[in-house]
Amino acid sequence: MKTNRFLMLLKTRGGLTAASVAQELGITNEGARLQLLKFVEEGLVSASNESTGVGRPKQIFSLTPQGNSKFPDTHAELTVKLINLMRDTLGEDALKAVMDAGEVFGKDRYMKELEPFSNLEERIAGLTEIRTREGYMAEYTKDEAGYLLIENHCPICAAAKSCQGFCTGELNIFKQVLGSKVEISRIDHILSGDRRCAYRIAETQ
DNA sequence: TGCGCCCCTAGAGCGTGCTA
DNA sequence: TAGCACGCTCTAGGGGCGCA
C-alpha cells in the first residue's frame, strides 16, 4: 500500500488549498497544484470551490473515499467476518464479554507504557505515540480549554462499523489511563461521517 | 552518454468578487 | 462600473533520475 506526502497531508489536515499544501511541503504553489490535479484525475482527491471574499474563490482539495483507501485498514474483511461469526454462533453476550476482555487487556497495556509519565501532558503525548504506532495517525494540541487528541485515521474502521463496542471501549480506556481527574469527550467521530476522531480532554480539578 | 519521463519553478495572464 | 486584490491557470524550461 503506497501513499505519498500529498495524500498524507490531506489525510492529516483535511481540505487544503494548493497554496497551503505548497507551504506545508516547501514547494511552489504551481508544483503543488499540478500534483493535486494529477490526483484529482486519478480519483484520489476531489476539488471544490469555496468563496471567501475578495478574489477568486479558493479551490479546496480533499481526499476522496478512494484516496482514503490508500491508508491501511488492516485485515478489515477478516475482522468483520470474525465478529459476525462470533455474534451468530456464540451470541451478543459472548461478543460483549470478549470486547470487555479486550478493553481490560488494552487498558493494562497502555497503563504499563504510560507508567513512567506523571503529568497529564506527558501521558497524553505518550498515548498519542502509542496510537500512532497502532496506525491511528494521532496527534494532540493544547489550547485554553485543555487538550485535543486527534486520530486522523481509523485502522479498525470496518470492525468498528460492525461493532460499536470498539469505539466505546477505546473511550473507556482513554478515561482510565489518563486518570480520574480528567474529563474526556469525543467531539468528532469517523463513524458519524467526520473526517477524524477527536477527543476533548480537560482537567476537572 | 543520450534519451525520455517526471517533478518542479517562474512568470505572465485570467477569473472572481469587493469597494469606492 | 472601473480599479484593485487575491488566487487560479497556462506555458516554457530546467534538473534529477532511470534505462538502454
Side-chain angles (χ1 to χ4, degrees), chain A residues 34 88 171 182:
Chain A
L34 290 174
D88 293 345
L171 188 55
V182 167

Side-chain angles (χ1 to χ4, degrees), chain A residues 142-153:
Chain A
K142 187 178 182 180
D143 56 27
E144 64 280 355
Y147 299 89
L148 194 62
L149 174 62
I150 298 162
E151 293 179 342
N152 292 294
H153 180 60

Side-chain angles (χ1 to χ4, degrees), chain A residues 41-84:
Chain A
E41 276 180 22
E42 292 173 4
L44 301 175
V45 168
S46 63
S48 60
N49 289 323
E50 186 178 288
S51 183
T52 56
V54 176
R56 192 168 178 161
K58 286 182 180 177
Q59 194 167 26
I60 307 292
F61 294 91
S62 49
L63 282 186
T64 62
Q66 196 183 336
N68 268 307
S69 72
K70 294 285 180 184
F71 294 86
D73 195 355
T74 317
H75 305 104
E77 198 180 334
L78 175 63
T79 309
V80 171
K81 199 181 288 181
L82 284 172
I83 290 169
N84 289 336

Side-chain angles (χ1 to χ4, degrees), chain A residues 54-202:
Chain A
V54 176
R56 192 168 178 161
K58 286 182 180 177
Q59 194 167 26
I60 307 292
F61 294 91
S62 49
L63 282 186
T64 62
Q66 196 183 336
N68 268 307
S69 72
K70 294 285 180 184
F71 294 86
D73 195 355
T74 317
H75 305 104
E77 198 180 334
L78 175 63
T79 309
V80 171
K81 199 181 288 181
L82 284 172
I83 290 169
N84 289 336
L85 269 175
M86 195 179 297
R87 184 182 281 126
D88 293 345
T89 57
L90 301 175
E92 197 68 46
D93 289 344
L95 179 61
K96 186 177 181 313
V98 171
M99 298 296 300
D100 289 346
E103 190 180 316
V104 171
F105 176 76
K107 184 200 75 179
D108 291 346
R109 196 163 50 83
Y110 283 18
M111 284 289 218
K112 197 174 177 182
E113 284 212 40
L114 297 178
E115 205 170 22
F117 307 120
S118 53
N119 77 48
L120 179 59
E121 182 158 4
E122 286 177 343
R123 292 182 79 80
I124 292 173
L127 181 60
T128 302
E129 192 183 319
I130 295 170
R131 299 294 279 177
T132 295
R133 211 164 55 221
E134 292 175 347
Y136 288 85
M137 298 173 73
E139 57 189 340
Y140 81 93
T141 58
K142 187 178 182 180
D143 56 27
E144 64 280 355
Y147 299 89
L148 194 62
L149 174 62
I150 298 162
E151 293 179 342
N152 292 294
H153 180 60
C154 179
I156 60 159
C157 200
K161 272 181 193 162
S162 176
C163 179
Q164 289 271 337
F166 280 106
C167 296
T168 309
E170 285 181 345
L171 188 55
N172 288 337
I173 289 173
F174 290 173
K175 285 177 178 171
Q176 291 176 67
V177 299
L178 292 180
S180 57
K181 293 176 179 174
V182 167
E183 198 167 276
I184 307 177
S185 56
R186 185 188 283 117
I187 57 173
D188 287 338
H189 197 191
I190 291 174
L191 288 193
S192 302
D194 294 319
R195 181 183 65 78
R196 63 186 190 180
C197 284
Y199 303 86
R200 168 58 68 189
I201 302 168

Side-chain angles (χ1 to χ4, degrees), chain A residues 17-38:
Chain A
T17 61
S20 303
V21 170
Q23 193 179 354
E24 291 282 345
L25 299 182
I27 60 176
T28 62
N29 293 0
E30 188 55 18
R33 195 183 68 83
L34 290 174
Q35 284 302 304
L36 289 166
L37 287 180
K38 198 185 81 179

